[in-house]
Each structure stands twice: as structure tokens, then as C-alpha cells.
Amino acid sequence: MKVFVVGSGKLASAILSAKATFHNCDLIPWESAFQHASEQATILHCGSGRQIAECKMFCEQTASTFIELSTGLETEHLTPDFPLVICPNTSMVMLKTMAMLGRFGKQFKDYNITLTESHQAAKQTEPGTAYNLANSLGFPVEQIISVRDQETQSAEIGIPDDFLGKHAYHKIVIQDGNDALTIETKVLGHASYAAGVRQIIDLVLNKNLENRRYNILEFMQ
């Protein structure tokens, strides 16, 4: 199966640089001319959103699957005529944690909760994973603590200097008086994301998907 990788950022580069490890598909950088192609393929979108219209046209014409790795884009609200899979994260450990909280998180909504997220200072899109965690916990997204200051990330969160420019950190603290539960996740670099993308593609290709929008968390069971 051909997989068109859409985007020019760090995640797209990490995926394409690991293409030799994708044994079940052929990764190809997206070009605008592909929107007029007729052969079925898979779109792997990890761009800013400016090429979404092209990718939609391609998927509508070829009944191809669109996998969205970026957050905060219009794809999260589309009602498509093709299979669309929204991935709020691509780390398998993180996705399984999100799936767990999606099932049981509301049991903690009456407790005192703090939710902190940290990403590289260059991140401009909304913190989709943190929003998902907040919604699972019944926690207001406007109360999420977002950290982009590198000194704070290094000294207080413990992000190694080599990964200040490419990391994802989430910490949930749930308190009931003197009792506390802490869930902390730390993803450094993009190596684990590329590995997660391989598994996501395998999950998608092995399912007979309908023409609708899915969330990858539906597949985590």
C-alpha cells in the first residue's frame, strides 16, 4: 500500500527517515499533483493544514483513507465521504493511557485535579492530547497548565537539554485530601512516534472502515 506523507515538519521528517522500518507500505512524500491520481492509497497527514483540501479531493476520488496526525485542524470536525482517522497522539503508551482514562476518567471528576502539559516552544497548535485528557476527566481545558519556557522545562520538569526542542510531557495529579494519584508521561524525540505510526497504519489497513470519521482511540480496545 502506498502511503503519502503530508507535511514538512519534524514529525513528517522523522517518519520518512524511518521508512525502511515500514515493511507493509511504501512511504512517499506528498506532492500537489497527486490530488488528481486515481490509484487508492493512504494519506498520512502531519502538516499545518494548508494541503488538506488537496488530500480531501484525493480521498474522495479514490476512496482512500485519511489518517490525521496533526491536532486542532478542520479534519477533527469533518463529516467525510471517506474513512478519516483522527489521531490525537501516536505514542502507543500515550494512546493506551488516553483510552484507559476515556473509559474510567469521569470517576475522578469530583476530586481536585491539576493537569500540566509541556511541549517544545515552537509548538503553535493546540495541545490535543491534553485537551483529550481533560475531557476524559471532566476537567476544564482552560485550567490546563501549559509550559513552553525551556528553563522551566529543564529545571522543574526534567526534560534533558537535547530534547527541549522535541518532547511531549503530561502530568495529571488527582487529590482527595492527603491521598494523591499521579500519572506522568514523557515522550522524548520522535522515534517512538514513528514506531507508533507503523502500528496505527497496520491497525487501519487491517480494518474494513466505513466512510466516516473515527478516533484512533476506538481501536485501542
Side-chain angles (χ1 to χ4, degrees):
M1 171 65 72
K2 289 182 179 178
V3 176
F4 293 122
V5 180
V6 186
S8 56
K10 292 179 180 178
L11 180 56
S13 298
I15 293 170
L16 287 169
S17 66
K19 64 185 301 182
T21 66
F22 286 71
H23 303 301
N24 297 328
C25 56
D26 183 19
L27 300 186
I28 303 169
W30 174 260
E31 297 180 11
S32 294
F34 293 155
Q35 66 185 297
H36 303 296
S38 58
E39 182 182 356
Q40 190 178 56
T42 298
I43 291 288
L44 191 67
H45 184 267
C46 39
S48 63
R50 62 183 178 86
Q51 295 164 302
I52 286 179
E54 300 174 359
C55 297
K56 283 173 56 183
M57 178 183 294
F58 171 79
C59 290
E60 289 167 352
Q61 293 176 164
T62 60
S64 294
T65 298
F66 189 127
I67 302 176
E68 179 62 271
L69 304 186
S70 297
T71 58
L73 300 181
E74 62 180 283
T75 44
E76 295 180 0
H77 309 288
L78 287 180
T79 303
D81 294 325
F82 50 85
L84 169 63
V85 182
I86 304 296
C87 302
N89 202 290
T90 60
S91 163
M92 279 294 141
V93 168
M94 194 70 238
L95 285 173
K96 290 180 178 180
T97 301
M98 293 165 72
M100 176 185 69
L101 290 174
R103 293 185 66 188
F104 305 113
K106 289 295 193 298
Q107 296 191 37
F108 301 106
K109 65 182 179 62
D110 295 324
Y111 295 97
N112 183 28
I113 298 174
T114 59
L115 174 54
T116 302
E117 63 88 12
S118 173
H119 288 81
Q120 59 275 7
K123 180 178 174 63
Q124 297 180 348
T125 56
E126 68 179 29
T129 296
Y131 280 21
N132 184 282
L133 294 172
N135 290 331
S136 294
L137 292 163
F139 181 78
V141 295
E142 60 271 16
Q143 293 183 25
I144 295 172
I145 301 169
S146 294
V147 181
R148 297 293 182 269
D149 176 66
Q150 290 193 346
E151 184 175 342
T152 302
Q153 292 169 340
S154 176
E156 298 183 18
I157 297 178
I159 303 299
D161 289 347
D162 290 346
F163 294 103
L164 290 172
K166 45 182 176 178
H167 73 275
Y169 171 87
H170 299 86
K171 183 177 182 180
I172 301 166
V173 179
I174 302 169
Q175 290 184 296
D176 180 22
N178 292 326
D179 300 337
L181 168 68
T182 300
I183 300 174
E184 187 176 33
T185 67
K186 188 181 297 183
V187 179
L188 302 176
H190 289 107
S192 67
Y193 287 129
V197 170
R198 288 199 303 270
Q199 296 178 65
I200 287 171
I201 291 174
D202 286 342
L203 281 172
V204 170
L205 293 182
N206 287 324
K207 290 187 177 295
N208 185 20
L209 300 180
E210 301 174 2
N211 291 337
R212 69 173 179 89
R213 186 176 68 246
Y214 294 82
N215 190 303
I216 191 62
L217 297 178
E218 295 179 46
F219 304 159
M220 288 297 100
Q221 302 306 320

